[in-house]
Amino acid sequence: MKQKELISVIVPIYNVEACLPRCIKSIMAQTYRNLEIILVDDGSTDGSGRICDIFSEKDNRIKVIHQKNQGLSAARNSGIKCANGDFLTFVDSDDFLSTNFIKVLYEPFKKSYSTDISICNFNAIAHNDGPILDDNRRFVNKSKYEIIMPYTYMQRTLRIASRDASLFKVVWNKLYRRSLIENVLFRDFCYCEDWDFNLRVFPFARNVAYTNHPLYFYTYRYTSLSNDSKALKEGMMYRIEMLFANYSEISITKPLYQCFSLKYLYRRMTLMKGRCYLTPMYDEVYIRCKKIEEQTKKQYLLNRHINLMERVTIVFLINKPRLTQWLLKMTHNL
């Protein structure tokens, strides 16, 4: 591979005029220079659209798309359809990059033609240039990256307190080979578009490269959603429907990934039934979990790729929501 390969950077934008310049500048400053920077202004009502136009006049690598407000998924999809790069990455407009973000993520593709996704670690920082909330520099090891099978990497995300779980669910810490996602677009699940996208893409990747160097800076914004019962219920429903959809859609020719989707679905339903038990405002979530369980319990119990002890434990707990609720309280996870 030669450095002349074009990499497309897609940035969905909506009303972020205060932090947008920092984001765009961090992309323009990348040490890997052959970039196509696609700024998708999703109907911003502040000065974000104008900022995009100003930067496009300064750098001919920048393309600007102005569209009516349609949401994050639609904005990213517009960027994908417009992209000409051999590789694609996504950056959220209130975040920013280390100067060698793309160079390091691109490196495994030069070494291995079977690498389809490259992943890095990230640091979380407080909004308004606050302190680093989650500093992952302590996890950095000497090796630059490791090449692993996608299923092996996905299995890591199932471990208790796994750092890989949060790394897997997002798209902004990854570089994707264009041919891998040629026919994949984001679906509008509101709370988990990234997670859904990766669950549909990873099963078709040949190899995944991972570096634990934190090259992406994610801006954490505190919201009151944790105290908003309607938003919490909505989030639970979206996640359950997304996981069920992914399990239902994955081909039987991919049994390991079917197993993974089923394990994820049942672990999530077990937790949600525990959280929702005897809580009237979450009755809808509880009932939906029970219906999905009725449709899939036989497949779960008979799936030979899932450890027998796990199958027995999960099926026991999913039918004992009061016990699950107590365990969650004891572990401060409720």
Side-chain angles (χ1 to χ4, degrees), residues 47 72 105 108 113 141 143 153 190 197 244 246 291 317 323 327:
L72 177 62
L105 285 183
Y113 283 93
N141 59 27
S143 61
Y153 181 76
C190 289
F197 184 84
F244 182 54
N246 273 281
K291 286 184 177 179
L317 287 174
L323 174 59
L327 289 171

Side-chain angles (χ1 to χ4, degrees), residues 54-271:
I54 290 172
F55 274 99
S56 69
E57 293 168 3
K58 297 178 180 178
D59 193 325
N60 61 14
R61 298 176 299 171
I62 296 177
K63 293 180 180 179
V64 180
I65 299 172
H66 295 286
Q67 64 182 36
K68 292 181 180 178
N69 180 246
Q70 300 172 59
L72 177 62
S73 290
R76 284 174 172 165
N77 289 339
S78 295
I80 292 172
K81 293 170 184 175
C82 175
N84 297 303
D86 302 293
F87 301 92
L88 274 72
T89 189
F90 303 91
V91 179
D92 284 356
S93 52
D94 50 356
D95 301 337
F96 61 98
L97 310 175
S98 164
T99 55
N100 61 345
F101 170 80
I102 289 175
K103 181 182 178 182
V104 172
L105 285 183
Y106 176 68
E107 193 69 27
F109 293 103
K110 295 196 296 181
K111 300 290 177 65
S112 170
Y113 283 93
S114 65
T115 298
D116 287 324
I117 303 172
S118 185
I119 307 167
C120 72
N121 209 330
F122 68 91
N123 281 332
I125 62 170
H127 181 50
N128 291 328
D129 296 320
I132 293 180
L133 302 175
D134 192 0
D135 189 346
N136 292 300
R137 286 173 293 187
R138 65 188 183 279
F139 295 118
V140 175
N141 59 27
K142 292 180 180 179
S143 61
K144 205 163 188 180
Y145 56 82
E146 59 176 323
I147 304 289
I148 48 180
M149 294 287 289
Y151 180 73
T152 303
Y153 181 76
M154 291 169 74
Q155 281 293 100
R156 289 183 184 178
T157 70
L158 293 172
R159 297 173 187 163
I160 295 174
S162 168
R163 178 69 190 163
D164 293 293
S166 56
L167 294 174
F168 170 69
K169 291 177 184 177
V170 297
V171 297
W172 37 252
N173 65 334
K174 299 174 179 68
L175 183 61
Y176 300 88
R177 189 182 294 276
R178 176 61 185 266
S179 58
L180 176 69
I181 63 172
E182 197 69 58
N183 300 309
V184 182
L185 292 174
F186 286 87
R187 298 191 288 199
D188 191 8
F189 275 110
C190 289
Y191 290 89
C192 46
E193 300 100 329
D194 291 29
W195 194 5
D196 172 66
F197 184 84
N198 285 327
L199 282 170
R200 289 184 290 131
V201 165
F202 267 70
F204 299 95
R206 293 166 295 176
N207 280 316
V208 169
Y210 170 67
T211 175
N212 60 7
H213 288 255
L215 304 171
Y216 190 99
F217 291 85
Y218 164 74
T219 302
Y220 177 80
R221 292 171 177 268
Y222 174 78
T223 67
S224 58
L225 285 179
S226 57
N227 298 314
D228 185 338
S229 58
K230 182 181 177 182
L232 282 171
K233 184 179 81 170
E234 221 173 62
M236 288 180 182
M237 286 296 287
Y238 271 109
R239 287 175 177 86
I240 285 295
E241 295 296 350
M242 181 275 292
L243 288 169
F244 182 54
N246 273 281
Y247 166 68
S248 304
E249 293 165 7
I250 192 72
S251 168
I252 58 172
T253 62
K254 300 277 185 181
L256 289 178
Y257 293 99
Q258 264 197 338
C259 158
F260 176 84
S261 294
L262 198 56
K263 281 185 356 183
Y264 233 137
L265 175 64
Y266 264 73
R267 288 187 182 192
R268 183 66 62 168
M269 287 198 302
T270 301
L271 292 172

Side-chain angles (χ1 to χ4, degrees), residues 23-74:
C23 173
I24 298 174
K25 288 176 182 177
S26 76
I27 301 170
M28 292 169 61
Q30 290 298 298
T31 53
Y32 188 97
R33 304 300 298 167
N34 195 24
L35 304 178
E36 175 186 55
I37 305 169
I38 302 173
L39 307 179
V40 185
D41 170 29
D42 190 42
S44 296
T45 55
D46 63 358
S48 297
R50 178 60 185 149
I51 291 171
C52 292
D53 293 334
I54 290 172
F55 274 99
S56 69
E57 293 168 3
K58 297 178 180 178
D59 193 325
N60 61 14
R61 298 176 299 171
I62 296 177
K63 293 180 180 179
V64 180
I65 299 172
H66 295 286
Q67 64 182 36
K68 292 181 180 178
N69 180 246
Q70 300 172 59
L72 177 62
S73 290

